[in-house]
Protein backbone atom coordinates (compact mmCIF):
# COMPACT_ATOMS: atom_id res chain seq x y z
CA UNK A 1 0.00 0.00 0.00
CA UNK A 2 3.01 2.32 0.04
CA UNK A 3 2.54 3.18 -3.63
CA UNK A 4 -1.14 3.91 -3.01
CA UNK A 5 -0.48 6.31 -0.14
CA UNK A 6 2.33 8.00 -2.07
CA UNK A 7 0.02 8.56 -5.03
CA UNK A 8 -2.68 9.95 -2.75
CA UNK A 9 -0.16 12.30 -1.14
CA UNK A 10 0.89 13.54 -4.59
CA UNK A 11 -2.77 14.05 -5.53
CA UNK A 12 -3.24 16.04 -2.35
CA UNK A 13 -0.21 18.21 -3.14
CA UNK A 14 -1.52 18.86 -6.67
CA UNK A 15 -4.89 19.71 -5.14
CA UNK A 16 -3.35 22.25 -2.77
CA UNK A 17 -1.51 23.88 -5.66
CA UNK A 18 -4.72 23.92 -7.73
CA UNK A 19 -6.70 25.38 -4.83
CA UNK A 20 -4.16 28.16 -4.33
CA UNK A 21 -4.31 28.90 -8.06
CA UNK A 22 -8.12 29.04 -7.87
CA UNK A 23 -8.01 31.35 -4.85
CA UNK A 24 -5.69 33.71 -6.71
CA UNK A 25 -7.96 33.59 -9.77
CA UNK A 26 -11.01 34.17 -7.55
CA UNK A 27 -9.37 37.28 -6.09
CA UNK A 28 -8.27 38.67 -9.46
CA UNK A 29 -11.13 37.74 -11.79
CA UNK A 30 -14.16 39.34 -10.18
CA UNK A 31 -16.53 38.58 -13.06
CA UNK A 32 -15.79 34.83 -12.83
CA UNK A 33 -15.96 34.41 -9.06
CA UNK A 34 -19.11 32.28 -9.19
CA UNK A 35 -17.53 29.81 -11.60
CA UNK A 36 -14.22 29.64 -9.77
CA UNK A 37 -15.98 29.17 -6.42
CA UNK A 38 -17.99 26.30 -7.92
CA UNK A 39 -14.80 24.71 -9.21
CA UNK A 40 -13.21 25.03 -5.78
CA UNK A 41 -16.28 23.52 -4.09
CA UNK A 42 -16.33 20.56 -6.47
CA UNK A 43 -12.61 19.91 -6.17
CA UNK A 44 -12.79 20.06 -2.36
CA UNK A 45 -15.56 17.45 -2.46
CA UNK A 46 -13.46 15.39 -4.86
CA UNK A 47 -10.43 15.32 -2.55
CA UNK A 48 -12.62 14.58 0.49
CA UNK A 49 -14.17 11.65 -1.37
CA UNK A 50 -10.74 10.42 -2.49
CA UNK A 51 -9.43 10.51 1.09
CA UNK A 52 -12.56 8.74 2.35
CA UNK A 53 -12.24 6.05 -0.32
CA UNK A 54 -8.57 5.55 0.58
CA UNK A 55 -9.53 5.12 4.22
CA UNK A 56 -12.20 2.58 3.30
CA UNK A 57 -9.77 0.67 1.09
CA UNK A 58 -7.29 0.51 3.97
CA UNK A 59 -10.07 -0.88 6.18
CA UNK A 60 -10.95 -3.42 3.49
CA UNK A 61 -7.31 -4.50 3.21
CA UNK A 62 -7.02 -4.85 6.98
CA UNK A 63 -10.19 -6.94 7.08
CA UNK A 64 -8.86 -9.17 4.29
CA UNK A 65 -5.60 -9.71 6.16
CA UNK A 66 -7.42 -10.55 9.38
CA UNK A 67 -9.84 -12.75 7.39
CA UNK A 68 -12.78 -11.85 9.56
CA UNK A 69 -16.25 -12.59 8.29
CA UNK A 70 -17.60 -9.07 8.68
CA UNK A 71 -18.78 -7.15 5.67
CA UNK A 72 -16.80 -4.07 4.63
CA UNK A 73 -18.19 -1.75 1.98
CA UNK A 74 -16.48 1.07 0.11
CA UNK A 75 -19.02 3.68 1.23
CA UNK A 76 -20.45 4.70 -2.13
CA UNK A 77 -23.60 6.13 -0.58
CA UNK A 78 -21.59 8.30 1.79
CA UNK A 79 -19.46 9.67 -1.03
CA UNK A 80 -22.54 10.23 -3.18
CA UNK A 81 -24.25 12.05 -0.31
CA UNK A 82 -21.24 14.34 0.10
CA UNK A 83 -21.32 15.14 -3.62
CA UNK A 84 -25.09 15.65 -3.55
CA UNK A 85 -24.73 18.01 -0.59
CA UNK A 86 -22.23 20.13 -2.52
CA UNK A 87 -24.60 20.13 -5.48
CA UNK A 88 -27.43 21.26 -3.23
CA UNK A 89 -25.26 24.06 -1.86
CA UNK A 90 -24.54 25.18 -5.42
CA UNK A 91 -28.25 25.09 -6.28
CA UNK A 92 -29.28 26.83 -3.06
CA UNK A 93 -26.72 29.62 -3.43
CA UNK A 94 -26.42 30.28 -7.18
CA UNK A 95 -25.09 33.76 -6.48
CA UNK A 96 -21.99 32.19 -4.88
CA UNK A 97 -21.45 28.87 -6.72
CA UNK A 98 -22.07 27.76 -10.30
CA UNK A 99 -23.52 24.26 -10.55
CA UNK A 100 -21.77 23.26 -13.83
CA UNK A 101 -18.31 24.07 -12.48
CA UNK A 102 -19.15 22.38 -9.18
CA UNK A 103 -19.97 19.21 -11.08
CA UNK A 104 -16.80 19.59 -13.16
CA UNK A 105 -14.77 19.90 -9.96
CA UNK A 106 -16.09 16.51 -8.76
CA UNK A 107 -13.72 14.83 -11.22
CA UNK A 108 -10.55 16.60 -10.07
CA UNK A 109 -9.00 13.82 -7.95
CA UNK A 110 -9.85 11.14 -10.51
CA UNK A 111 -8.29 13.07 -13.38
CA UNK A 112 -5.15 13.87 -11.40
CA UNK A 113 -4.84 10.20 -10.41
CA UNK A 114 -5.24 9.18 -14.06
CA UNK A 115 -2.56 11.62 -15.22
CA UNK A 116 -0.20 10.50 -12.45
CA UNK A 117 -0.76 6.87 -13.43
CA UNK A 118 0.00 7.57 -17.08
CA UNK A 119 3.12 9.53 -16.13
CA UNK A 120 4.35 6.76 -13.85
CA UNK A 121 3.87 4.17 -16.61
CA UNK A 122 5.82 6.34 -19.07
CA UNK A 123 8.58 6.91 -16.50
CA UNK A 124 8.88 3.18 -15.75
CA UNK A 125 9.30 2.33 -19.44
CA UNK A 126 12.36 4.59 -19.80
Amino acid sequence: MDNFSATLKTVQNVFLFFLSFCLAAWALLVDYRVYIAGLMLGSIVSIINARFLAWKIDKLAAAAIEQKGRKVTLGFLTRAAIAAFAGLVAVRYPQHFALPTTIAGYFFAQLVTLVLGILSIKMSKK
Side-chain angles (χ1 to χ4, degrees):
M1 284 297 194
D2 289 337
N3 192 18
F4 181 67
S5 60
T7 302
L8 189 60
K9 186 176 278 193
T10 305
V11 169
Q12 187 171 347
N13 289 338
V14 170
F15 164 73
L16 291 173
F17 177 76
F18 177 74
L19 191 63
S20 64
F21 175 77
C22 283
L23 284 172
W26 182 84
L28 295 174
L29 304 171
V30 178
D31 294 339
Y32 299 102
R33 281 189 175 177
V34 174
Y35 303 107
I36 296 169
L39 190 60
M40 287 190 294
L41 179 64
S43 63
I44 288 170
V45 167
S46 177
I47 200 72
I48 288 171
N49 281 341
R51 298 290 297 180
F52 182 73
L53 182 61
W55 176 67
K56 293 295 275 188
I57 288 173
D58 283 341
K59 276 182 62 174
L60 181 68
I65 290 172
E66 294 175 6
Q67 295 181 352
K68 290 188 176 178
R70 64 180 187 197
K71 182 180 176 183
V72 178
T73 63
L74 293 179
F76 172 75
L77 288 178
T78 304
R79 292 181 287 121
I82 293 170
F85 178 71
L88 287 175
V89 168
V91 168
R92 176 73 173 104
Y93 301 104
Q95 67 274 19
H96 298 295
F97 304 101
L99 183 61
T101 56
T102 301
I103 293 171
Y106 289 164
F107 301 104
F108 177 79
Q110 291 83 4
L111 290 175
V112 170
T113 305
L114 177 67
V115 169
L116 288 174
I118 291 170
L119 289 175
S120 70
I121 290 171
K122 287 192 181 241
M123 297 294 279
S124 67
K125 288 185 178 181
K126 287 186 178 181

